[in-house]
Short mmCIF file of all heavy atoms in Angstrom, two decimals:
data_model
loop_
_atom_site.label_atom_id
_atom_site.label_comp_id
_atom_site.label_asym_id
_atom_site.label_seq_id
_atom_site.Cartn_x
_atom_site.Cartn_y
_atom_site.Cartn_z
N ARG A 52 29.25 -0.65 -29.06
CA ARG A 52 28.91 0.17 -28.01
C ARG A 52 30.30 1.06 -27.61
O ARG A 52 30.17 2.00 -27.23
CB ARG A 52 28.19 -0.50 -26.90
CG ARG A 52 26.86 -1.12 -27.32
CD ARG A 52 26.16 -1.71 -26.20
NE ARG A 52 25.65 -0.68 -25.24
CZ ARG A 52 25.83 -0.81 -24.00
NH1 ARG A 52 26.50 -1.73 -23.49
NH2 ARG A 52 25.32 0.20 -23.15
N LEU A 57 29.78 4.49 -25.47
CA LEU A 57 28.76 4.10 -24.56
C LEU A 57 29.40 3.21 -23.51
O LEU A 57 28.74 3.07 -22.46
CB LEU A 57 27.58 3.33 -25.30
CG LEU A 57 26.83 4.11 -26.31
CD1 LEU A 57 25.75 3.10 -27.00
CD2 LEU A 57 26.09 5.26 -25.52
N GLU A 77 32.35 12.77 -26.00
CA GLU A 77 31.53 13.87 -26.46
C GLU A 77 31.74 14.16 -27.93
O GLU A 77 30.76 14.32 -28.60
CB GLU A 77 31.67 15.16 -25.55
CG GLU A 77 31.55 14.97 -24.07
CD GLU A 77 30.13 14.61 -23.63
OE1 GLU A 77 29.15 14.91 -24.46
OE2 GLU A 77 30.03 13.90 -22.60
N LYS A 80 30.51 11.37 -30.10
CA LYS A 80 29.01 11.25 -30.18
C LYS A 80 28.41 12.31 -31.20
O LYS A 80 27.33 12.03 -31.77
CB LYS A 80 28.33 11.51 -28.76
CG LYS A 80 28.54 10.24 -27.89
CD LYS A 80 28.02 10.52 -26.55
CE LYS A 80 28.29 9.30 -25.69
NZ LYS A 80 27.77 9.48 -24.29
N TYR A 85 23.82 6.24 -34.57
CA TYR A 85 23.98 4.89 -33.95
C TYR A 85 22.49 4.38 -33.94
O TYR A 85 21.52 5.05 -33.51
CB TYR A 85 24.41 4.92 -32.46
CG TYR A 85 24.31 3.73 -31.68
CD1 TYR A 85 24.82 2.42 -32.11
CD2 TYR A 85 23.63 3.78 -30.49
CE1 TYR A 85 24.79 1.35 -31.24
CE2 TYR A 85 23.61 2.66 -29.56
CZ TYR A 85 24.21 1.39 -30.18
OH TYR A 85 23.95 0.37 -29.28
N LYS A 89 18.46 -3.16 -30.30
CA LYS A 89 16.95 -3.14 -29.88
C LYS A 89 16.35 -1.85 -30.34
O LYS A 89 16.98 -0.69 -30.26
CB LYS A 89 16.89 -3.13 -28.25
CG LYS A 89 15.51 -3.31 -27.76
CD LYS A 89 15.57 -3.46 -26.30
CE LYS A 89 14.23 -3.57 -25.60
NZ LYS A 89 13.76 -2.34 -25.03
N SER A 91 14.75 1.48 -30.51
CA SER A 91 14.80 2.42 -29.26
C SER A 91 14.33 3.81 -29.66
O SER A 91 15.03 4.72 -29.27
CB SER A 91 16.15 2.50 -28.66
OG SER A 91 17.11 2.73 -29.61
N TYR A 93 10.86 6.46 -29.51
CA TYR A 93 9.72 6.63 -28.58
C TYR A 93 8.45 6.16 -29.31
O TYR A 93 7.97 6.79 -30.21
CB TYR A 93 9.60 8.00 -28.08
CG TYR A 93 10.98 8.36 -27.29
CD1 TYR A 93 11.89 9.03 -27.89
CD2 TYR A 93 10.89 8.05 -25.89
CE1 TYR A 93 13.07 9.20 -27.04
CE2 TYR A 93 12.08 8.22 -25.21
CZ TYR A 93 13.12 8.86 -25.85
OH TYR A 93 14.27 9.12 -25.14
N ASP A 95 5.45 6.29 -28.15
CA ASP A 95 4.33 7.12 -27.91
C ASP A 95 4.48 8.54 -28.61
O ASP A 95 3.70 9.40 -28.41
CB ASP A 95 4.02 7.33 -26.33
CG ASP A 95 5.14 7.81 -25.64
OD1 ASP A 95 6.24 7.78 -26.18
OD2 ASP A 95 4.95 8.35 -24.58
N GLU A 100 7.30 13.57 -34.55
CA GLU A 100 7.78 14.08 -33.23
C GLU A 100 9.20 13.40 -32.86
O GLU A 100 10.06 14.02 -32.19
CB GLU A 100 6.79 13.76 -32.08
CG GLU A 100 5.60 14.69 -32.23
CD GLU A 100 4.41 14.18 -31.54
OE1 GLU A 100 4.42 13.01 -31.13
OE2 GLU A 100 3.29 14.90 -31.44
N VAL A 108 18.13 16.75 -29.97
CA VAL A 108 19.16 16.34 -29.15
C VAL A 108 20.62 16.23 -30.03
O VAL A 108 21.68 16.21 -29.37
CB VAL A 108 18.89 14.97 -28.53
CG1 VAL A 108 17.94 15.19 -27.39
CG2 VAL A 108 18.60 14.03 -29.51
N GLY A 110 21.42 18.53 -32.04
CA GLY A 110 21.73 20.00 -32.04
C GLY A 110 21.64 20.58 -33.47
O GLY A 110 22.23 21.56 -33.76
N ARG A 116 16.23 22.24 -39.87
CA ARG A 116 15.48 21.09 -39.64
C ARG A 116 14.57 20.56 -40.54
O ARG A 116 14.34 19.39 -40.84
CB ARG A 116 14.77 21.22 -38.19
CG ARG A 116 15.81 21.11 -37.02
CD ARG A 116 15.12 21.06 -35.67
NE ARG A 116 16.05 21.52 -34.66
CZ ARG A 116 15.68 21.70 -33.34
NH1 ARG A 116 14.49 21.54 -32.99
NH2 ARG A 116 16.66 22.05 -32.54
N ARG B 4 19.33 24.08 -26.93
CA ARG B 4 18.62 23.31 -27.95
C ARG B 4 18.25 21.82 -27.53
O ARG B 4 17.27 21.40 -27.77
CB ARG B 4 19.51 23.26 -29.24
CG ARG B 4 18.89 23.47 -30.54
CD ARG B 4 19.81 23.40 -31.68
NE ARG B 4 20.24 24.74 -32.04
CZ ARG B 4 21.37 24.95 -32.72
NH1 ARG B 4 22.27 24.01 -32.88
NH2 ARG B 4 21.63 26.22 -33.09
N ARG B 5 19.30 21.33 -26.88
CA ARG B 5 19.12 19.85 -26.45
C ARG B 5 18.13 19.88 -25.22
O ARG B 5 17.37 18.89 -25.15
CB ARG B 5 20.49 19.24 -26.10
CG ARG B 5 21.34 19.12 -27.21
CD ARG B 5 22.53 18.20 -27.00
NE ARG B 5 23.47 18.69 -26.01
CZ ARG B 5 24.58 19.24 -26.30
NH1 ARG B 5 25.05 19.15 -27.65
NH2 ARG B 5 25.40 19.75 -25.35
N LYS B 12 9.76 16.79 -25.63
CA LYS B 12 9.39 15.35 -25.66
C LYS B 12 8.80 14.75 -24.37
O LYS B 12 7.87 14.21 -24.39
CB LYS B 12 10.90 14.62 -25.90
CG LYS B 12 10.70 13.17 -25.88
CD LYS B 12 11.87 12.32 -25.38
CE LYS B 12 11.84 12.27 -23.93
NZ LYS B 12 12.60 11.16 -23.31
N HIS B 16 5.23 13.09 -23.69
CA HIS B 16 4.92 11.81 -22.94
C HIS B 16 3.81 12.12 -21.87
O HIS B 16 3.00 11.17 -21.74
CB HIS B 16 6.25 11.37 -22.28
CG HIS B 16 7.26 10.86 -23.18
ND1 HIS B 16 6.95 10.03 -24.12
CD2 HIS B 16 8.54 10.95 -22.98
CE1 HIS B 16 8.13 9.62 -24.61
NE2 HIS B 16 9.11 10.26 -24.11
N ARG B 19 0.41 12.29 -23.71
CA ARG B 19 -0.01 11.10 -24.34
C ARG B 19 -0.48 10.13 -23.36
O ARG B 19 -1.50 9.24 -23.69
CB ARG B 19 1.16 10.54 -25.21
CG ARG B 19 1.61 11.21 -26.33
CD ARG B 19 0.61 11.09 -27.51
NE ARG B 19 0.56 12.25 -28.34
CZ ARG B 19 1.52 12.68 -29.11
NH1 ARG B 19 2.54 11.86 -29.35
NH2 ARG B 19 1.41 13.82 -29.85
N GLU B 207 13.16 4.88 -19.51
CA GLU B 207 14.03 4.98 -20.61
C GLU B 207 14.96 3.91 -20.67
O GLU B 207 15.47 3.26 -21.75
CB GLU B 207 14.99 6.34 -20.57
CG GLU B 207 14.00 7.62 -20.48
CD GLU B 207 14.01 8.37 -21.87
OE1 GLU B 207 14.41 7.83 -22.88
OE2 GLU B 207 13.59 9.55 -21.87
N ASN B 210 12.95 0.68 -21.69
CA ASN B 210 12.58 0.69 -23.24
C ASN B 210 13.68 0.66 -24.04
O ASN B 210 13.61 0.59 -25.36
CB ASN B 210 11.52 1.85 -23.54
CG ASN B 210 10.38 1.72 -22.88
OD1 ASN B 210 9.93 0.51 -22.19
ND2 ASN B 210 9.49 2.74 -22.91
N GLY B 211 14.99 0.80 -23.59
CA GLY B 211 16.10 0.79 -24.43
C GLY B 211 16.35 2.24 -25.07
O GLY B 211 17.34 2.36 -25.82
N GLU B 214 19.85 3.96 -24.30
CA GLU B 214 20.99 3.57 -25.01
C GLU B 214 21.03 4.51 -26.32
O GLU B 214 22.12 5.01 -26.63
CB GLU B 214 20.77 2.14 -25.41
CG GLU B 214 21.66 1.61 -26.58
CD GLU B 214 22.78 0.87 -25.88
OE1 GLU B 214 22.85 0.72 -24.75
OE2 GLU B 214 23.66 0.34 -26.75
N GLN B 215 19.92 4.84 -26.87
CA GLN B 215 19.89 5.79 -28.02
C GLN B 215 20.27 7.21 -27.60
O GLN B 215 21.09 7.70 -28.18
CB GLN B 215 18.54 5.74 -28.67
CG GLN B 215 18.47 6.36 -30.04
CD GLN B 215 19.22 5.52 -31.09
OE1 GLN B 215 19.19 4.38 -31.06
NE2 GLN B 215 20.11 6.20 -31.84
N LEU B 217 21.98 8.06 -25.02
CA LEU B 217 23.35 8.06 -24.64
C LEU B 217 24.30 8.18 -25.80
O LEU B 217 25.67 8.67 -25.78
CB LEU B 217 23.86 6.84 -23.77
CG LEU B 217 23.22 6.70 -22.31
CD1 LEU B 217 23.58 5.50 -21.74
CD2 LEU B 217 23.54 7.93 -21.52
N ARG B 222 23.84 15.76 -22.75
CA ARG B 222 24.51 15.62 -21.42
C ARG B 222 23.60 15.21 -20.24
O ARG B 222 22.38 15.66 -20.37
CB ARG B 222 25.20 17.00 -21.02
CG ARG B 222 26.06 17.59 -22.15
CD ARG B 222 27.53 17.11 -21.90
NE ARG B 222 28.38 17.43 -23.05
CZ ARG B 222 29.21 18.40 -23.00
NH1 ARG B 222 29.33 19.10 -21.94
NH2 ARG B 222 29.93 18.68 -24.04
#
Side-chain angles (χ1 to χ4, degrees):
Chain A
R52 297 185 70 230
L57 296 173
E77 303 297 335
K80 287 174 184 180
Y85 168 59
K89 186 169 176 268
S91 51
Y93 295 96
D95 58 338
E100 287 161 351
V108 291
R116 280 188 205 176
Chain B
R4 224 178 259 158
R5 296 194 294 252
K12 177 209 82 152
H16 286 322
R19 291 285 148 74
E207 304 254 14
N210 292 351
E214 172 96 355
Q215 194 67 44
L217 290 179
R222 305 269 169 108

